[in-house]
Amino acid sequence: MLRVEIVITAYNVQNYIGQCIQSALRQSYSNCHLLIIDDGSSDYTPQRIKEATKDVSLDAYTVVHRDNSGIAATRNYALDHLQGNCFTFLDGDDLIPRDYVSSLVSVMEKTSADLVACPFTKITSTYFIFKNNLLSSSNSNKTEVIDNTEFLQRLTTLSLPKGIDVSSHSKLYKNECWGNLRYPSKKNFEDSFVIFNILQSVKHIALTDATHYLYRYRPDSIVNSPFNLTRLQYIEAEKLLYDKVQNVYPNTQLAKQAHIRLDHVYLNTLMHIALTDDSRLSNLEKRLRPAALGKRPIYSIFIEKIPIIDRIGRFALWIGLPVFNIASRLFRMTRRART
């Protein structure tokens, strides 16, 4: 029976960490151990962790309190202290259904996969969770086994299929998948920096919709917050992914898709800058514009399989930054009206 480590990383999530730990403790799979790491929280997260584990056997969990060092260093600490055969990451503000681990383990054992991935569902509140019965696993049991090249092929398309993404969560890994691989320290968007190397270390990947991961959408998170200069690390990470794909799969459709994905990242970053309405970023906009346009002729936007918003964005950017900035604001207004 596989022993599974559930790695919970927490930083200033006092309102969510209790629910997160409870969802992990209530797993139907019996051979689990929780490694809970508090990354130097300055709120009541440490107290909430103590409250959530006070009646739990000490054999079931380990709590570590560290000086604040960021998510990458915190996960690296976990990778250096794993127990058991395999593990899964659970962010301190997220949740997992009761049969989450058992579903992923079952798929791993049946398929002999090195990595099992499932979809994630965005949640916004406890009411939303219970209203949509999200604490139950799916009745579906569709599973597909693919190799690492096929995973990359799907990852680099901009319309990502379910279960295909760079996130470290919503996956069950055999420990040997990581080996000596670690996240780059002091980096945001850490998942994008390591996804290629992880995929190169595995042979078989199982995609299943037998369960799902509950990802809490928070407007104040790094990914969802307004533009700041740390967001340029997203470009750095995706450029690294692109370079590695080009090196291993030169002159292939996969390499072309990776290029289109990188163009999308530049375009998305420029859109975030436009929506900040900060004139101090105008020089940065001018520097990023050529990369966002790419080296392909403008008519390629009508040939390539890219989202309509990217077609409009690249065309507006080709006309000029003022037009692109207006288009970005119109897009935000339209999206808000729909929600």
Side-chain angles (χ1 to χ4, degrees):
M1 188 179 192
L2 292 176
R3 181 167 173 80
V4 178
E5 187 93 66
I6 302 177
V7 177
I8 300 177
T9 53
Y11 175 69
N12 286 356
V13 285
Q14 62 182 15
N15 295 329
Y16 313 110
I17 187 63
Q19 287 183 347
C20 172
I21 292 173
Q22 287 303 312
S23 74
L25 288 172
R26 290 171 181 162
Q27 290 299 294
S28 60
Y29 191 76
S30 59
N31 200 13
C32 289
H33 179 265
L34 275 60
L35 176 56
I36 307 167
I37 309 176
D38 168 39
D39 184 31
S41 295
S42 57
D43 64 0
Y44 288 98
T45 294
Q47 292 90 325
R48 299 291 184 267
I49 292 173
K50 186 175 181 179
E51 292 168 3
T53 56
K54 65 180 179 180
D55 297 323
V56 181
S57 169
L58 293 176
D59 295 333
Y61 71 96
T62 300
V63 176
V64 178
H65 297 282
R66 289 165 43 87
D67 292 337
N68 180 250
S69 55
I71 182 63
T74 303
R75 285 183 179 167
N76 286 342
Y77 176 90
L79 291 168
D80 291 336
H81 295 82
L82 291 174
Q83 301 180 30
N85 314 99
C86 49
F87 70 96
T88 186
F89 285 117
L90 174 58
D91 291 343
D93 50 354
D94 296 338
L95 301 167
I96 49 178
R98 176 173 167 77
D99 295 331
Y100 179 80
V101 172
S102 62
S103 296
L104 297 182
V105 167
S106 176
V107 171
M108 179 172 281
E109 290 178 332
K110 289 177 181 177
T111 62
S112 298
D114 306 300
L115 186 162
V116 181
C118 69
F120 66 85
T121 301
K122 287 185 180 181
I123 57 175
T124 54
S125 66
T126 302
Y127 171 76
F128 179 84
I129 295 166
F130 286 100
K131 177 185 176 183
N132 294 280
N133 196 29
L134 294 180
L135 289 178
S136 299
S137 289
S138 168
N139 291 324
S140 177
N141 216 355
K142 295 180 182 178
T143 298
E144 179 184 11
V145 180
I146 61 176
D147 62 17
N148 52 11
T149 303
E150 178 62 23
F151 191 100
L152 272 171
Q153 195 82 37
R154 299 185 192 185
L155 179 68
T156 51
T157 62
L158 296 181
S159 54
L160 293 178
K162 286 187 176 181
I164 302 285
D165 61 84
V166 301
S167 303
S168 294
H169 63 56
S170 62
K171 296 173 178 64
L172 180 68
Y173 307 88
K174 288 183 178 177
N175 289 7
E176 54 264 32
C177 289
W178 285 76
N180 295 322
L181 176 63
R182 296 295 182 267
Y183 293 96
S185 60
K186 298 181 180 179
K187 294 286 188 183
N188 294 317
F189 307 98
E190 64 286 341
D191 298 333
S192 295
F193 279 99
V194 299
I195 184 64
F196 184 88
N197 288 4
I198 293 171
L199 292 175
Q200 292 302 105
S201 71
V202 303
K203 292 182 179 179
H204 299 106
I205 303 163
L207 309 177
T208 183
D209 61 0
T211 188
H212 56 187
Y213 180 96
L214 303 179
Y215 164 76
R216 191 180 300 274
Y217 177 84
R218 293 169 56 199
D220 60 339
S221 69
I222 293 173
V223 174
N224 300 316
S225 59
F227 178 83
N228 60 62
L229 291 178
T230 60
R231 195 173 183 87
L232 295 180
Q233 293 178 11
Y234 183 34
I235 293 178
E236 180 186 354
E238 292 291 338
K239 179 66 166 58
L240 180 64
L241 173 61
Y242 166 74
D243 288 342
K244 289 183 175 180
V245 169
Q246 288 285 4
N247 184 51
V248 178
Y249 307 95
N251 303 315
T252 62
Q253 180 62 27
L254 174 55
K256 182 179 179 180
Q257 287 181 191
H259 199 171
I260 293 173
R261 176 185 170 95
L262 182 60
D263 288 348
H264 171 78
V265 171
Y266 276 110
L267 197 65
N268 185 264
T269 303
L270 269 176
M271 185 176 291
H272 273 79
I273 295 174
L275 296 177
T276 61
D277 199 22
D278 188 341
S279 59
R280 293 173 298 178
L281 297 173
S282 59
N283 287 334
L284 179 59
E285 284 183 303
K286 292 174 183 176
R287 291 208 319 267
L288 293 178
R289 180 176 180 265
L293 282 172
K295 296 180 180 180
R296 299 179 304 286
I298 191 62
Y299 63 76
S300 65
I301 64 174
F302 303 106
I303 302 171
E304 296 168 345
K305 292 182 179 180
I306 60 176
I308 184 65
I309 186 62
D310 279 31
R311 286 193 181 131
I312 296 171
R314 281 185 62 194
F315 186 71
L317 190 60
W318 178 71
I319 297 173
L321 277 169
V323 176
F324 176 80
N325 292 344
I326 292 172
S328 297
R329 292 184 179 88
L330 288 173
F331 171 69
R332 181 174 62 177
M333 291 169 57
T334 303
R335 188 167 62 176
R336 284 179 174 175
R338 288 178 180 174
T339 58

